[in-house]
Amino acid sequence: MTDTEPNEPRSGAPAVGRRGVELLAGDARDTALLANVRPAGWRNPRPARRYNLVVLGAGTAGLVTAAGAAALGAKVALVERNLLGGDCLNAGCVPSKALLRAARFHNDLRDAPSFAGCAPIPLEPDFAAAMARMRRLRAQISRKDSVRRFEGLGVDVFLGDGAFADRRTVEVAGATLRFQHAVIATGSHAAHPPIESLAAAGYLTNETVFNLTERPRRLLVVGGGPLGCELAQAFARLGSEVVIAGREPYFLPREERDAAEVLADALRRDGIEVRLNTEVKGVSRHDGEKLVRLVNDGQETTVAVDEILVGVGRVPNVEGLNLEAAGVEYDHEHGVRVNDHLQTSNRRIYAAGDVALAQKYTHMADATARIVVQNALFWGRKKLSALTIPWCTYTDPEIAHVGLYVKECRERGFPLKTFTVPMSDVDRAVLDGEPEGFVKIHVRDGTDTILGATIVARHAGEMINEISLAMVAGIGLETVSRVIHSYPTQAEAIRKAGDAYNRTRLSPRLKALSRCWLAWSRGMG
Ligand SMILES: Cc1cc2nc3c(=O)[nH]c(=O)nc-3n(C[C@H](O)[C@H](O)[C@H](O)COP(=O)(O)OP(=O)(O)OC[C@H]3O[C@@H](n4cnc5c(N)ncnc54)[C@H](O)[C@@H]3O)c2cc1C
């Protein structure tokens, strides 16, 4: 399949997908994706008498749970109401990162004169081609999440809405699945903000935005979190005029302020109009435009756009599961309540991934699924609180973090020392033309124990893994400085932070002694 097939469906073509995430009807790549993750004519198997594990939801958390348990010999049923692969494959990480890569390519072309010494390349980004590439790659990756693959692993795959009938039974599409243990892995969906007339004017979320085939000329992105920042940058680099409006005074409010400031500057450089501290009050339609009222510091302004993309948070999928019948406690904001072993208030039922976690990331869905397999099937006592969790926002530059922030260290009463290395001090970053950002590592004062780190750099998501490894293995910053890093690499910034730590260990007394010794040895010839 190529990315320039004739008969591209147009934006607005009816979408397929039963609930939540939608795909583009008539698109060959999305048809290939569907054949993997929701094959037409699929017939649910006859249920086993009892399952070791019934898994509700086939996103990352559900798929990893099902595959892991089946590999250990468990009889597993996997229930999915829409598309296997869940958000990550169909409407999250995979399509967004494919789009960001195409956007980065276009941005790099702007630097052609400085890299290649050539005249500026007058290239108009081909939005439809970038979206088609994304769909092709998504379809390709979907093989790993396919119904057939899970069938081959020995998992009974049921397509349909799953709900508990009682404390030990799930029902789906007329079938009754009895279980020893069950796992709720039903994920989350986009929050819909109560903005006046927004619904009537029409707007996009992550569930629909990847169906666009035509570039919106003017786009308003509502929300200054990871999703809003990543997609605002992608659309701007692919040629849309983008305004991003965030309620907080900074992007990524959780991140350290200097990181958020680098990001704000980067978005402005991409030509994005940044409106922080800004509330979206209401929308009206006029002559095919969407007029959006924004309020900042009591001052109201109106922006005219063609599309609105909303990314203001995630809501756990707890509706329709009949959790009351199963004796599972939950609330609509935080989702299913779990203890540190990911067990719900029904000790036979566990939860993993977005439906139960504050940290809504694919790698957390994966990590918690692994905990659940051990705890549910083998009386394991693995704990959520024992995990070291990195995360990354994949803007350019990327912003990655692991461990504690300065504020959290202070709240916990940990005295800390911070070692910061600007990327402009790292030869490879300079040579690559990527000198923006920094590596910042916090250690417990008086020790080399790493408490946390923030990296702002083009490849921060890759670099943070070295710090995560050090933290998990209990390796201190002094040891990190002894690890030989290939030259020139951007990860040398981490070693340099280790060198900076080592310099602090030289007390004035040691320094004086060393100076005396060297002076004496010079005198001895
Ligand atoms: C735009 C975007 C970009 C993202 N990018 C990243 C990233 O780069 N890196 C990262 O780590 N994370 C990223 N995430 C987050 C990541 O996608 C989620 O954390 C991850 O998909 C959660 O997996 P999950 O299995 O918990 O839930 P989901 O993927 O939501 O899967 C849950 C599944 O359960 C099904 N389901 C729900 N109710 C029922 C029911 N009653 N019966 C049967 N099935 C049911 C749903 O249909 C769904 O398929 C991104 C998210 C978005 C929205």
Side-chain angles (χ1 to χ4, degrees), residues 57 59-61 80-81 87 93 97 162 187 206 321 354 360-362:
T60 304
E80 171 55 50
R81 71 177 178 191
D87 262 6
C93 331
K97 268 76 245 177
N206 72 297
L321 291 170
D354 279 14
K360 297 191 188 328
Y361 303 108
T362 290

Side-chain angles (χ1 to χ4, degrees), residues 19 55-63 79-94 96-97 158 160-163 185-189 206 210 227 230-231 314 317 319-321 352-355 359-365 392 394:
R19 184 175 310 181
V55 184
L56 276 170
T60 304
L63 293 175
V79 183
E80 171 55 50
R81 71 177 178 191
N82 193 10
L83 311 174
L84 267 71
D87 262 6
C88 178
L89 172 69
N90 300 295
C93 331
V94 169
S96 63
K97 268 76 245 177
F158 292 84
D161 278 79
T186 49
S188 62
H189 62 269
N206 72 297
F210 299 113
L227 189 158
E230 287 180 5
L231 290 183
R314 311 285 305 165
N317 289 330
E319 299 281 0
L321 291 170
D354 279 14
V355 73
Q359 299 93 348
K360 297 191 188 328
Y361 303 108
T362 290
H363 47 275
M364 279 305 284
C392 183
Y394 296 91

